[in-house]
Amino acid sequence: MSDLVTAIALALALEGTLYALAPGRMKAMLRSVLDLDDSVLRGVGLAALAAGVFVIWLVRG
């Protein structure tokens, strides 16, 4: 459970860093994400999920 909390904290820290370093670019990226079709966004999310699970499987293997 502590690994999950650590992973969530790391994701928040990375996202916060992106917003702090390039706020204009992050706004533009969010605008482009809002224009995506739901099926495309779902596919990208599933691909990110699969990549994350694969990396965890390799590391924890």
Side-chain angles (χ1 to χ4, degrees), residues 10-27:
L10 179 60
L12 289 173
L14 289 172
E15 187 174 355
T17 301
L18 290 173
Y19 280 106
L21 292 177
R25 179 70 182 134
M26 291 304 291
K27 281 183 186 179

Side-chain angles (χ1 to χ4, degrees), residues 11-50:
L12 289 173
L14 289 172
E15 187 174 355
T17 301
L18 290 173
Y19 280 106
L21 292 177
R25 179 70 182 134
M26 291 304 291
K27 281 183 186 179
M29 190 182 330
L30 285 173
R31 281 189 199 106
S32 67
V33 168
L34 288 173
D35 292 336
L36 289 176
D37 187 32
D38 286 351
S39 61
V40 172
L41 194 54
R42 185 175 292 117
V44 170
L46 287 173
L49 172 66

